């Protein structure tokens, strides 16, 4: 019986890229250093960069009710845990010596 890969893990998209000799050598060295296959290294690196790029997103669109709830939470005074209050009620360790 053949092993089946779930649809969400099946690799079906292809990317064709061209690199200079120096870039290719650098990428191969990185994959070798990490001890992974070249394709895995490239995909992991690209996904990590895409996640960083998307994390910098500063424009969010929400339905009106969600936006109102979001603004309400931003305007709410912060909750300060009791443990944090205790921690900051003592003199810093550096000053207590």
């Amino acid at each position: 019986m053949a092993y089946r890969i779930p649809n969400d893990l099946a690799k079906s998209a292809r990317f064709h890229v061209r690199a200079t000799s120096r870039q290719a050598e650098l990428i191969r060295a990185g994959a070798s250093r990490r001890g992974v296959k070249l394709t895995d290294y490239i995909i992991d690196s690209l996904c990590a960069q895409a996640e960083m790029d998307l994390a910098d997103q500063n424009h969010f669109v929400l339905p009106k009710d969600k936006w109102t709830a979001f603004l309400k939470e931003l305007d709410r005074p912060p909750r300060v845990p009791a443990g944090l209050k205790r921690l900051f009620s003592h003199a810093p360790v550096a000053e207590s010596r």
Side-chain angles (χ1 to χ4, degrees):
M1 180 173 171
Y3 177 73
R4 283 189 55 132
I5 297 174
N7 285 343
D8 59 335
L9 297 178
K11 295 179 181 178
S12 60
R14 288 189 175 268
F15 292 91
H16 300 279
V17 296
R18 295 177 92 44
T20 64
S21 296
R22 185 184 176 292
Q23 291 169 328
E25 184 179 318
L26 182 63
I27 293 166
R28 283 189 188 94
S32 175
R33 173 70 174 94
R34 199 181 285 173
V36 297
K37 291 190 268 183
L38 183 61
T39 299
D40 292 338
Y41 182 80
I42 292 170
I43 295 296
D44 290 346
S45 298
L46 290 173
C47 287
Q49 183 61 51
E51 287 172 352
M52 286 190 286
D53 292 343
L54 294 173
D56 289 341
Q57 179 178 335
N58 59 15
H59 179 78
F60 300 93
V61 178
L62 294 172
K64 185 169 178 58
D65 60 326
K66 300 276 187 193
W67 179 252
T68 303
F70 175 70
L71 291 178
K72 186 177 177 182
E73 284 297 309
L74 286 178
D75 291 337
R76 181 182 51 75
R79 296 181 189 127
V80 182
L84 192 59
K85 283 183 183 180
R86 270 193 316 278
L87 176 67
F88 284 105
S89 68
H90 302 298
V93 174
E95 293 177 12
S96 65
R97 294 182 181 205

